[in-house]
Amino acid sequence: MNVEDSTPGSIPPKASIRRSSTISEDIFGSAYDHKVVKRFTGYLSPYRKLIIFSMLTVLLFSVTAVLLPLIVKYTIDSALVAGVENTKILTICVTLFFTTIALNFVGNYLQELIIGRIGERVLIQLRRSMFEHLQRVSLSFMDKTQVGSMMSRLQGDVGALQEFLHTITVGVGDIILILGVVLTLFFLDWRLALMMIGVVPALLLIRVIWLPFARKAFIRSRVTASIVSGSLAENINGIRAVQGLTREKVNYSLFDILAHDNLAAQNKAARFGVIMMPIVDTLTGIALAVIIFGGGLLVSKGNLEVGVMVAFMLYVQRFFDPIRQLTMHYSIFQRAMAAGERIFEVIDVPIEVKNKPNAVTLKNIDGSIEFKNVTFGYVPDEPILTNISFKVEPGETVALVGPTGSGKTSITSLTHRFYDVWEGEVFVGGKNVKDVTQSSLSQQVGMVLQEPFLFTGTVIENIRYVNVDCPLSEVVEAAKAVGAHNFICQLPDGYDSMLEQRGGNISLGQRQLLSFARAIVANTKILILDEATASVDSYTEMLIQDALSKLLKGRTGMVIAHRLATIRSADRIIVLQDGKIIETGTHDELVTTNGLYSHMYSLNYSSFDDIPDDLIKEVTREWREGIT
Amino acid sequence: MTLKPKITNRTQISGTYIRIIKMALKQKLLLVFGVITIFGAAGFQLWIPILLGSSVDIAMDVFSAENADVSDQLIFSGVLLLISSIMRGIFTMAYNYSGESIGQHIGYELRLLYYQKLQKLSFSYHSHIHTGDLITRGILDIEGVSMFVRTAVLRSIYLVVLIGTGTYLVLSADLVLGIISLSFVPFAGWRATAARLQLRSSWFALQEKLSILSKVMDENLGGIRVVRSFASKTHEMDKFDRASEEALTIANNQVQIKSKNVSLIGISFLTAMGLVLWVGGLKVINGSITIGELTTFLAFMSILQAPVRMLGMMVNAFARGAASGGRLFSVLDMSSDIEDSQGSTKLTITKGVLKFKEVHFGYEGEHTLNGVTFEVKPGHVVGIVGPPGSGKSTIAHLIPRFYDPSSGAITIDGQNIKDVTLDSLRHAVSVVEQDSFMFTASIDHNVAYGNPWAEDLDVETAARNTQMYQYISRLPNKFSTMIGERGVSLSGGQRQRLSIARSILLNPKIIIFDDSTSSVDAATEQKIRVALQEISRDRTSIIISHRLSSLMHADEILFIEKGKIIERGNHNKLINNNGKYAELYKLQIRPDDKNKSEKIKNER
């Protein structure tokens, strides 16, 4: 069948749209995890006094709330009932009533305020300690983790714990309220109290049966909603492909199915939500009928004061709400426990690369780098580098060349001590990197990454980055040196132009130049540079090549090079394969030695990355056979 | 095109409400049902305090008058009360459900309308609106409108009926007590409204601060290697602390607003209750009302408490409904500037001759094409090369009418593309973009994206021709492997090859490669080219690239600069010309000659 024959509404065999949900379904987790709660209360301990105080305010609020119907009862029975009419007692009672509500107001205000503020503070503390920890854990952990999932821990999970804190206080208030009401009811009249409380088990039973079904329906409704949102978002992101390939009608039909699923799920959830209304009302009605009949009968026989009957009526209203609330809290507890586990999992990741206790500050160094018999890998028993030794002299530029996986990036990471070596030593400026402080090492060793990473902020903020006090003149000088000045001046606000997230509003080449300028401002003795592989147009390419030579001037340079032009201009080339150094020398030397480098060079690609993998394998094989 | 239309205009706001209400009116049955049940719910709700009061009196009267059938009367009251409670529950459920259902239907309808609209809007719209903004509208604003209908429309009718009838009842029972017992309503309503509005405005401020905070965290984690290599932990923690302290200030302020108003509303209600007790008590003492009537007033006040608290939520729903509706309708009302013209016919392809005649294109004062004329014959390949921003991609985007030229004409086999239907044009023409979007779907569904009716064999052939077959067949699930978050992540070159496969599967008469092999290595590209030439000798192709090896073989090469063709001819001719093309060629093939690169740079 052809596309044009299709009628909207029919679903073709090879068509699907995104239908994954971002919502995790922590439905069946436990609602109480001692370890999580213990860790969490650790974060509360600085506020211990405040929390005790706030619990007192909760108590004040709940107790005064329970007292009010009781005061109404005394007012009726001791001042209003025929025969005892007494204006004076009425005034006393009303004064008591107003005093109580004043206290109730104070309790109400303080409990909301204090708990709310502690909650916000703890939320930030928790997020901060998690974030700070992430600044120190080893990069191998960060490499394994997706930014998105970490963000959801920093935001969603922390939020779930905040909700938990709030729920606990509300829950404590509710329990005090229920206990207070029950006690008061029994104090007033145990017979009526027994009859009225009889409906509570029924309510609890219904809630317990209802809850799992309802929660499933609620979650289903949220999940389908997130599927619809995800699908919509993908269609917007890929709108060019959708329109270019005329997929509109098919996608519309597919989206309709998802939207309809969502509608059905929401409707079901709504039914579960509203079904509780007549049930609770029926139980309230039964309780009220009991009071009217049982209480009324007792009153009519003179066995019960009428005020008690009125008080019971007023209590019924406040009795069912807290019970209904409490059953709702269960799912919040479940979510919080799961969230807490995920948060503490991150906070507990051990920090592998640490400063030694007697670490010294790296200062005034000559800029040399030396690897001595270094063996290193990311996975135990799978070394990436085996027994590597080389030295880079101060001021020298060395190009690291080799196929993917040969260990180039590992060498640069070790120089910066992102990881610790398995065996051997790495020296920077003659000092073992393990013996110096990490921050002083960073001040000597700069890095420009393959993917130029810019932060949201102005151009000047990005060039200065850590060196916030760097004067404008120096920033401009750096920008001029790398040839970025011209394009910066053409931006709407020059150096003060805002860069969108990750520099989305400027081109890749321009982002690269800015990251060069940033490295110049940082002014480190040693510069490690991972040349970008992504192809930029020839014009930008030239600018970058120029900038590169300016950048490396007067510094020790270690470049992971891909472009022939970069490699040729290096003082020395180190050719790596399978974690070993197989050749080293200048371009002219290496071309004549008939080694791997000269073979690769003879393939006539302007960039080594353009050489297809199988061709590299072939060349390597030929070359090896040539040796033996 | 405004991103955030400021809705301050009253007529605009009411216009938005009217449109939403009109959508609600389509659900006639549910709406009528909802309104009827509202009266039931309010009626039974108000009956309860009256029954409570009268039963107190029954019990008391009996006490003094020693009437015999007291228990009968009490049973009767009790049963009535039970019935009215149950009925209240059922009616409340019914009207709430109608409200929910109407709102959900409107949400569903809006979702489809919005989706359809977005698919129709042209590239120029999409490239000028932030995708995040469009997604937010499609998610949060639709939810905002739906929530407004669900929680505010029927509920406000309920509130009017309940408070209105209630007011009539209490005032007719006892004017003074009635006024006192209602006295808290205006105050509480005012506080609830004011608090909600304050919270709303600070909510936006908070969201802004929180989004700064999440940007700080997101960028830090995404750029963790930069952060580490600059040893900028302190700097980053400072950024974090600043952003979170700012958010904390606003959050604390919100807590303050909430606590203040919750407790104020609470005490206003309790004060009114105290006054009822006092004044009512005096009235009971002087005999003008009974204890039962006093009970009625007290019970009546308790039932008013909840709806008055609801007011705040409703004000919020109203405000959000207007803002969300306004933003949503501004998208839905947008007309697409690229549409089928009146009387447009299907494109009929005879040979596949593509012509540009004096084509100009400008957008918002920027001229990207200044009179471009060329012709591509069937089976021929035209290469386009030029510096960044010279207008190469614009040419590609004009052919399937992603944009329309500001003047000049583009024809295919003599038919102006403006006069043919978009569908038929886009079926005949396919543009392979540099950065093609891969959808969260299996590999075969992605390849068959343009023709989901394609046979397995066609998909496989397309993959073979783009040198992807070997890779795919080595994957555990082969062509059913998912791409994206939960599937394989493809390299740039692999994505580009899949998107070429996607296009050639459609067998378009005209195909345009817009820098679509920039991440594919030269050798693989060569293989793809050979395969493509073999399967479609009569296809009209345009290749745009900044890598000359991709287009050296073209029948004609156009060198574009500043929207104009400045050199044209085949490779040999252009090399002999010794112009810009020749310079670029020398630069790319052997990039070691420093002097030449200096020269080209100076000329720019």
Side-chain angles (χ1 to χ4, degrees):
Chain A
M1 215 206 308
N2 198 316
V3 189
E4 281 159 81
D5 307 333
S6 65
T7 48
S10 64
I11 304 300
K14 283 196 176 53
S16 53
I17 52 174
R18 192 195 132 104
R19 51 181 317 153
S20 47
S21 154
T22 50
I23 293 178
S24 60
E25 306 187 20
D26 308 317
I27 341 174
F28 301 113
S30 97
Y32 182 81
D33 181 332
H34 185 65
K35 265 190 241 149
V36 171
V37 173
K38 208 175 153 198
R39 290 289 293 275
F40 185 57
T41 42
Y43 283 88
L44 295 177
S45 59
Y47 312 102
R48 203 180 297 126
K49 280 183 189 157
L50 260 185
I51 288 177
I52 292 172
F53 179 68
S54 72
M55 283 302 153
L56 289 177
T57 62
V58 170
L59 195 68
L60 179 68
F61 172 70
S62 306
V63 169
T64 48
V66 173
L67 278 181
L68 291 175
L70 205 58
I71 297 174
V72 173
K73 182 243 161 218
Y74 280 110
T75 316
I76 291 175
D77 289 339
S78 49
L80 303 185
V81 176
V84 297
E85 290 105 331
N86 189 329
T87 321
K88 210 183 249 168
I89 294 180
L90 175 67
T91 318
I92 294 170
C93 284
V94 170
T95 315
L96 194 63
F97 189 93
F98 280 112
T99 319
T100 313
I101 65 174
L103 290 174
N104 180 270
F105 171 75
V106 172
N108 196 357
Y109 177 71
L110 288 180
Q111 75 164 31
E112 295 270 342
L113 190 73
I114 297 170
I115 295 296
R117 293 214 162 153
I118 293 176
E120 297 292 341
R121 195 34 96 180
V122 168
L123 167 90
I124 282 182
Q125 285 294 331
L126 201 57
R127 185 183 289 146
R128 189 179 195 280
S129 53
M130 197 169 146
F131 185 69
E132 191 177 23
H133 193 76
L134 287 176
Q135 306 302 308
R136 290 161 48 179
V137 295
S138 104
L139 272 186
S140 41
F141 173 77
M142 298 303 288
D143 292 341
K144 276 181 281 179
T145 327
Q146 280 191 331
V147 174
S149 85
M150 209 40 85
M151 286 298 287
S152 80
R153 290 182 196 210
L154 280 163
Q155 295 177 312
D157 289 342
V158 170
L161 276 186
Q162 188 194 23
E163 194 184 21
F164 172 69
L165 181 65
H166 187 251
T167 309
I168 284 188
T169 33
V170 174
V172 169
D174 281 345
I175 290 174
I176 297 177
L177 204 64
I178 294 171
L179 285 180
V181 170
V182 171
L183 280 178
T184 317
L185 289 182
F186 274 97
F187 166 72
L188 286 174
D189 188 276
W190 66 272
R191 295 157 298 188
L192 263 189
L194 267 185
M195 283 193 272
M196 210 182 109
I197 287 163
V199 300
V200 173
L203 178 63
L204 284 179
L205 188 69
I206 292 170
R207 293 290 291 192
V208 167
I209 295 169
W210 169 84
L211 206 57
F213 292 102
R215 200 178 314 137
K216 223 171 138 190
F218 293 152
I219 288 172
R220 174 100 192 104
S221 144
R222 278 172 52 204
V223 167
T224 53
S226 106
I227 289 174
V228 167
S229 304
S231 187
L232 173 76
E234 178 158 298
N235 210 57
I236 293 173
N237 285 324
I239 190 71
R240 283 163 179 267
V242 171
Q243 290 191 353
L245 298 162
T246 54
R247 254 294 278 263
E248 294 94 333
K249 282 176 193 157
V250 172
N251 279 6
Y252 182 73
S253 311
L254 289 168
F255 183 75
D256 189 8
I257 296 174
L258 297 187
H260 205 270
D261 276 355
N262 176 233
L263 178 66
Q266 278 188 332
N267 240 305
K268 194 171 177 192
R271 281 201 289 276
F272 270 107
V274 297
I275 192 72
M276 277 316 279
M277 293 177 178
I279 292 174
V280 171
D281 274 349
T282 304
L283 292 173
T284 319
I286 292 174
L288 283 173
V290 164
I291 296 166
I292 287 180
F293 181 65
L297 218 56
L298 288 171
V299 170
S300 71
K301 289 191 180 136
N303 288 338
L304 187 73
E305 291 165 310
V306 68
V308 176
M309 188 176 163
V310 175
F312 265 80
M313 287 173 180
L314 295 177
Y315 279 127
V316 170
Q317 317 270 345
R318 21 189 92 231
F319 194 56
F320 288 97
D321 269 353
I323 292 179
R324 206 164 26 165
Q325 290 284 328
L326 276 179
T327 49
M328 245 6 217
H329 294 164
Y330 187 75
S331 54
I332 294 174
F333 275 47
Q334 274 184 320
R335 208 163 40 233
M337 292 309 130
E341 223 164 88
R342 279 192 294 264
I343 290 173
F344 295 124
E345 196 180 277
V346 173
I347 293 182
D348 292 342
V349 172
I351 296 168
E352 285 161 11
V353 179
K354 282 186 209 160
N355 281 344
K356 272 191 182 172
N358 53 352
V360 294
T361 312
L362 195 62
K363 261 196 303 214
N364 304 327
I365 57 159
D366 59 6
S368 65
I369 303 170
E370 189 174 6
F371 275 56
K372 265 192 197 159
N373 309 9
V374 169
T375 299
F376 169 73
Y378 303 96
V379 185
D381 299 326
E382 282 177 37
I384 300 289
L385 300 175
T386 22
N387 201 16
I388 289 243
S389 300
F390 67 89
K391 187 168 185 194
V392 184
E393 300 299 335
E396 193 186 19
T397 296
V398 164
L400 299 176
V401 175
T404 315
S406 56
K408 295 170 290 184
T409 312
S410 304
I411 290 182
T412 59
S413 299
L414 291 177
T415 311
H416 212 289
R417 207 185 162 209
F418 282 164
Y419 314 94
D420 276 336
V421 294
W422 291 357
E423 280 167 39
E425 286 126 347
V426 176
F427 297 95
V428 167
K431 289 249 163 61
N432 191 325
V433 291
K434 282 189 179 173
D435 298 333
V436 301
T437 62
Q438 285 169 274
S439 59
S440 70
L441 179 63
S442 293
Q443 275 159 21
Q444 303 296 334
V445 184
M447 225 175 193
V448 175
L449 301 169
Q450 199 177 65
E451 276 283 308
F453 194 96
L454 300 179
F455 296 87
T456 307
T458 61
V459 171
I460 191 164
E461 281 168 359
N462 265 289
I463 298 180
R464 280 177 177 153
Y465 191 43
V466 188
N467 305 290
V468 281
D469 300 323
C470 174
L472 178 66
S473 58
E474 246 177 73
V475 172
V476 174
E477 210 175 295
K480 276 185 180 159
V482 298
H485 182 70
N486 283 343
F487 94 80
I488 295 173
C489 291
Q490 278 162 19
L491 293 174
D493 298 311
Y495 281 85
D496 291 322
S497 306
M498 277 301 283
L499 297 178
E500 279 164 24
Q501 203 152 6
R502 299 190 182 170
N505 49 343
I506 58 174
S507 76
L508 177 68
Q510 291 169 333
R511 290 207 293 273
Q512 232 145 28
L513 294 181
L514 284 190
S515 76
F516 287 178
R518 181 165 64 190
I520 287 196
V521 166
N523 196 20
T524 52
K525 262 264 162 39
I526 297 170
L527 193 70
I528 293 169
L529 199 136
D530 194 349
E531 193 176 29
T533 46
S535 73
V536 290
D537 63 276
S538 319
Y539 300 94
T540 315
E541 177 72 47
M542 263 177 329
L543 274 179
I544 291 174
Q545 287 295 339
D546 269 4
L548 207 57
S549 57
K550 296 237 175 68
L551 191 58
L552 290 169
K553 214 162 139 190
R555 295 175 219 277
T556 309
M558 188 145 74
V559 185
I560 299 181
H562 307 283
R563 311 233 188 273
L564 210 48
T566 316
I567 299 169
R568 290 189 53 158
S569 59
D571 297 321
R572 196 148 52 98
I573 300 164
I574 294 179
V575 184
L576 288 157
Q577 197 185 28
D578 299 333
K580 291 189 183 103
I581 296 175
I582 52 169
E583 286 173 302
T584 158
T586 64
H587 172 77
D588 294 334
E589 285 165 17
L590 289 181
V591 170
T592 53
T593 52
N594 197 27
L596 177 65
Y597 182 83
S598 75
H599 276 79
M600 280 168 50
Y601 180 71
S602 65
L603 289 173
N604 242 342
Y605 285 88
S606 64
S607 155
F608 279 1
D609 294 304
D610 275 353
I611 310 177
D613 286 349
D614 39 349
L615 202 53
I616 289 198
K617 273 184 202 135
E618 206 176 302
V619 169
T620 318
R621 209 187 56 234
E622 275 171 22
W623 167 71
R624 278 200 176 134
E625 280 164 4
I627 298 175
T628 52
Chain B
M1 225 168 316
T2 49
L3 268 177
K4 282 172 191 153
K6 274 193 182 154
I7 305 183
T8 41
N9 191 326
R10 269 178 200 288
T11 53
Q12 225 174 329
I13 292 180
S14 51
T16 305
Y17 287 140
I18 289 170
R19 267 179 90 162
I20 299 174
I21 303 288
K22 270 189 186 156
M23 293 184 77
L25 285 177
K26 280 194 216 156
Q27 312 281 331
K28 272 190 206 91
L29 263 181
L30 276 174
L31 202 62
V32 170
F33 180 68
V35 172
I36 292 173
T37 48
I38 279 176
F39 280 93
F44 282 110
Q45 171 76 300
L46 288 170
W47 200 21
I48 290 174
I50 296 171
L51 284 173
L52 288 176
S54 71
S55 61
V56 169
D57 279 345
I58 292 169
M60 304 256 308
D61 279 344
V62 171
F63 181 59
S64 46
E66 300 201 5
N67 200 326
D69 62 340
V70 51
S71 68
D72 288 354
Q73 278 192 51
L74 284 174
I75 283 179
F76 185 62
S77 294
V79 169
L80 279 185
L81 209 126
L82 183 58
I83 290 171
S84 62
S85 287
I86 294 172
M87 293 312 282
R88 176 186 71 177
I90 289 172
F91 279 118
T92 311
M93 171 180 79
Y95 97 79
N96 270 297
Y97 182 70
S98 332
E100 281 283 335
S101 198
I102 295 170
Q104 285 163 1
H105 271 101
I106 288 178
Y108 167 72
E109 202 179 322
L110 280 174
R111 245 165 235 134
L112 291 184
L113 283 174
Y114 190 74
Y115 194 84
Q116 204 167 25
K117 190 75 201 180
L118 286 184
Q119 291 197 327
K120 276 196 187 140
L121 287 171
S122 72
F123 274 32
S124 52
Y125 178 81
H126 280 288
S127 53
H128 277 77
I129 277 212
H130 200 262
T131 43
D133 197 51
L134 279 182
I135 294 170
T136 318
R137 285 186 198 201
I139 297 170
L140 293 182
D141 287 341
I142 291 177
E143 176 56 26
V145 171
S146 162
M147 190 193 85
F148 162 67
V149 178
R150 288 200 319 258
T151 60
V153 172
L154 283 182
R155 209 166 273 172
S156 54
I157 302 177
Y158 172 74
L159 272 192
V160 168
V161 173
L162 183 76
I163 295 182
T165 320
T167 308
Y168 171 77
L169 284 179
V170 288
L171 289 185
S172 58
D174 187 304
L175 195 62
V176 180
L177 272 190
I179 290 173
I180 295 174
S181 62
L182 287 170
S183 63
F184 81 99
V185 174
F187 177 81
W190 167 58
R191 280 328 306 166
T193 310
R196 269 299 168 168
L197 293 178
Q198 274 175 27
L199 285 176
R200 232 189 113 69
S201 62
S202 78
W203 186 82
F204 285 118
L206 183 62
Q207 285 310 305
E208 205 176 301
K209 296 291 173 208
L210 286 179
S211 86
I212 293 176
L213 182 65
S214 73
K215 230 183 249 174
V216 168
M217 296 191 291
D218 185 56
E219 289 187 345
N220 174 290
L221 299 178
I224 192 77
R225 277 168 191 274
V226 178
V227 172
R228 295 286 172 91
S229 66
F230 280 88
S232 45
K233 188 187 139 198
T234 332
H235 179 69
E236 291 288 313
M237 287 313 291
D238 280 352
K239 279 206 272 185
F240 175 89
D241 285 341
R242 228 176 301 135
S244 53
E245 283 302 322
E246 280 176 8
L248 181 66
T249 314
I250 300 179
N252 274 341
N253 187 25
Q254 285 203 326
V255 170
Q256 157 89 30
I257 295 173
K258 262 188 239 167
S259 333
K260 191 176 88 184
N261 288 291
V262 166
S263 45
L264 274 180
I265 292 171
I267 199 175
S268 74
F269 162 75
L270 292 175
T271 307
M273 196 168 162
L275 288 174
V276 167
L277 186 66
W278 191 23
V279 177
L282 288 173
K283 281 185 178 250
V284 171
I285 289 174
N286 70 30
S288 56
I289 60 167
T290 62
I291 291 180
E293 280 161 338
L294 178 62
T295 309
T296 300
F297 277 100
L298 292 175
F300 171 71
M301 290 190 64
S302 325
I303 64 164
L304 270 192
Q305 202 185 2
V308 169
R309 280 205 177 141
M310 244 158 49
L311 264 184
M313 220 172 73
M314 285 177 42
V315 171
N316 186 39
F318 266 93
R320 199 177 152 191
S324 293
R327 276 195 296 267
L328 212 53
F329 293 135
S330 79
V331 174
L332 293 181
D333 293 344
M334 194 89 62
S335 61
S336 180
D337 40 357
I338 309 264
E339 272 175 344
D340 285 345
S341 58
Q342 280 207 322
S344 58
T345 52
K346 260 194 174 182
L347 175 70
T348 40
I349 300 262
T350 47
K351 291 177 185 152
V353 183
L354 171 73
K355 274 187 191 165
F356 269 59
K357 279 183 219 149
E358 269 305 302
V359 172
H360 288 256
F361 181 79
Y363 198 83
E364 288 177 354
E366 253 184 85
H367 295 279
T368 46
L369 288 186
N370 296 306
V372 169
T373 304
F374 66 89
E375 182 182 333
V376 198
K377 293 195 185 75
H380 274 213
V381 178
V382 163
I384 299 177
V385 67
S390 55
K392 294 172 301 203
S393 287
T394 310
I395 294 179
H397 286 155
L398 289 178
I399 302 169
R401 278 191 77 198
F402 291 153
Y403 304 93
D404 276 339
S406 28
S407 71
I410 301 166
T411 62
I412 294 173
D413 285 341
Q415 304 151 81
N416 191 324
I417 57 169
K418 271 191 180 172
D419 303 327
V420 300
T421 60
L422 267 181
D423 265 13
S424 65
L425 174 68
R426 288 181 184 169
H427 281 139
V429 175
S430 190
V431 179
V432 190
E433 309 242 13
Q434 181 187 17
D435 194 11
S436 275
F437 192 85
M438 286 294 141
F439 295 86
T440 315
S442 59
I443 290 179
D444 58 341
H445 284 200
N446 264 293
V447 173
Y449 202 77
N451 178 11
W453 287 270
E455 302 291 331
D456 286 347
L457 194 66
D458 299 334
V459 173
E460 279 175 32
T461 312
R464 264 185 227 278
N465 287 329
T466 50
Q467 307 296 315
M468 278 298 281
Y469 186 78
Q470 230 182 350
Y471 170 78
I472 296 170
S473 57
R474 266 189 238 133
L475 293 171
N477 292 322
K478 304 202 164 50
F479 278 86
S480 312
T481 310
M482 289 293 289
I483 299 179
E485 298 148 76
R486 281 171 205 181
V488 292
S489 61
L490 300 172
S491 73
Q494 287 171 327
R495 276 211 307 276
Q496 288 188 334
R497 283 187 271 164
L498 272 194
S499 88
I500 297 173
R502 195 155 74 177
S503 283
I504 59 173
L505 181 82
L506 299 174
N507 200 18
K509 193 63 200 167
I510 299 172
I511 190 163
I512 302 127
F513 297 94
D514 185 4
D515 216 351
S516 48
T517 50
S518 57
S519 305
V520 179
D521 64 74
T524 309
E525 188 191 2
Q526 168 70 21
K527 285 185 194 158
I528 296 175
R529 191 163 51 235
V530 171
L532 293 193
Q533 268 167 0
E534 273 171 20
I535 53 165
S536 54
R537 298 197 173 277
D538 57 344
R539 181 175 288 157
T540 310
S541 323
I542 294 180
I543 298 175
I544 297 168
S545 177
H546 57 247
R547 193 203 268 159
L548 291 188
S549 61
S550 310
L551 45 76
M552 266 158 43
H553 62 284
D555 299 294
E556 188 180 24
I557 297 167
L558 312 175
F559 194 103
I560 305 237
E561 204 175 79
K562 291 176 184 148
K564 277 193 170 146
I565 300 175
I566 55 165
E567 286 176 32
R568 63 167 82 200
N570 66 16
H571 176 71
N572 289 336
K573 189 187 154 198
L574 289 179
I575 292 290
N576 292 334
N577 259 3
N578 231 355
K580 300 238 172 185
Y581 179 85
E583 271 167 22
L584 190 63
Y585 176 73
K586 284 166 201 155
L587 181 79
Q588 282 195 10
I589 301 306
R590 272 291 162 200
D592 352 334
D593 196 331
K594 190 82 181 157
N595 296 331
K596 266 183 197 133
S597 61
E598 286 293 333
K599 199 178 145 210
I600 291 187
K601 205 175 74 192
N602 292 339
E603 278 170 16
R604 271 191 86 203

